[in-house]
Amino acid sequence: MLDWLAQHDEPIINIDKLTYAGHLENLKTVINDPRHTFVQADINDRKIIEELLNKHSPRAIIHFAAESHVDRSITGPAEFIHTNILGTFNLLEAARNYTQHKSDFRFLHVSTDEVYGSLGEHDPAFTETTAYAPNSPYSASKASSDHLVRAYFHTYGLPVLTTNCSNNYGPYQYGEKLIPLMILTALQQKPLPVYGDGKNIRDWLYVSDHCSAIRTVLEKGKLGEVYNIGGNAEKNNLDVVNQICELLDEIKPLKNNSYKNLISFVKDRPGHDRRYAIDSSKIQTELGWSPKENFDSGIRKTIKWYLNCRGEAMPRPKEKL
């Protein structure tokens, strides 16, 4: 949203339920922007969604709304079913009614690489034709929503697009995710918990690159198609944490100590996928998109943002993860 308004004059209707991870402080730079309308609402509230569609007549829905934290899906899967599956269904139904009167509409569904399951060390990266094999309640709920979006295209002709992205990081990310959790915990000089042996591998995508990819798919994507979005930055979790510590040692050093000494290994979580990797050649060759940030530049920008905004823009999760 912030990225969109920096690139376009086109207005946005921003719908957010403001759950535990929602933080209005993140909107302070745009809250009075006439191009931005904020509505606190649940995407499962069909009446509100339909009223907003009829009132504002948007040309697209970009569906980011999701419960997305794997640990939370293990301890409390019901919210993930409610938001990710039923919420997507309600948006699709509202869009289906709306598009009867608007032929140029687009429904862009933002999903995750986790729907594809887990890869071995030498397996080829996920492509858009990789079979779905979700291993957590979170990824299963997102896989279900992907299938609903596909079905509405083939059954009803709803003009949909789907993107499956790798792990996002960057400014404004809530403090329960790996990178902000490590940064904020390190700054408190508390133990940095790393699951298992720390060798679980993820492809990391800087948030502004993800935003530019979504704009590209919305503008150029072929209806009914899926586009995988990756950052070309496969790293295991331990290497990510070590790099964060090294940068903090450089930018905000401790006295007579290294942040690396805070690293501690904790019991692995159930069903922890070993490796994700995205093959984003389709969006690169067909739509001309590629990431601008590499992990070295992106993680440095991210750390500096959290240092500058510490205590203001992003609350830490209160409960133990």
Side-chain angles (χ1 to χ4, degrees), residues 89 92-93 96 99 148 150-159:
F89 166 72
L92 288 167
E93 279 290 282
R96 183 161 71 96
T99 54
L148 278 173
R150 173 185 168 87
Y152 270 64
F153 174 74
H154 287 280
T155 302
Y156 303 114
L158 191 71

Side-chain angles (χ1 to χ4, degrees), residues 19 42 50 82 92 94 103 138 144 158 162-163 166 175 191 196 200 204 230 266 271 284 315-316:
T19 61
D42 187 339
E50 290 177 344
H82 179 74
L92 288 167
S103 60
Y138 161 60
S144 298
L158 191 71
T162 297
T163 60
S166 56
N200 300 76
W204 292 95
V266 298
Q284 295 190 41
R316 275 183 50 86

Side-chain angles (χ1 to χ4, degrees), residues 109-126:
H109 174 62
V110 179
S111 190
T112 172
D113 58 359
E114 296 194 37
V115 298
Y116 299 124
S118 184
L119 293 171
E121 182 179 358
H122 302 294
D123 289 339
F126 301 132

Side-chain angles (χ1 to χ4, degrees), residues 161-261:
L161 300 151
T162 297
T163 60
N164 294 82
C165 71
S166 56
N167 278 38
N168 278 218
Y169 71 102
Y172 295 102
Q173 191 170 33
Y174 186 64
E176 69 187 358
K177 302 293 186 176
L178 176 67
I179 286 176
L181 179 65
M182 292 299 124
I183 295 169
L184 296 170
T185 303
L187 292 174
Q188 295 184 22
Q189 299 183 44
K190 293 182 178 180
L192 305 178
V194 176
Y195 279 134
D197 61 4
K199 297 303 177 66
N200 300 76
I201 296 171
R202 301 293 181 261
D203 174 46
W204 292 95
L205 174 67
Y206 191 67
V207 63
S208 63
D209 283 327
H210 189 196
C211 291
S212 71
I214 287 170
R215 291 196 303 272
T216 300
V217 172
L218 186 64
E219 178 185 353
K220 301 178 181 179
K222 182 180 177 182
L223 294 182
E225 290 293 307
V226 175
Y227 297 92
N228 282 354
I229 304 170
N232 299 332
E234 277 191 66
K235 284 184 171 290
N236 70 51
N237 290 345
L238 184 57
D239 285 345
V240 169
V241 177
N242 275 319
Q243 189 164 350
I244 290 170
C245 291
E246 289 167 4
L247 286 168
L248 285 173
D249 283 340
E250 172 195 332
I251 299 169
K252 192 176 178 62
L254 298 172
K255 188 175 182 179
N256 301 320
N257 199 6
S258 168
Y259 289 97
K260 287 186 178 182
N261 292 327

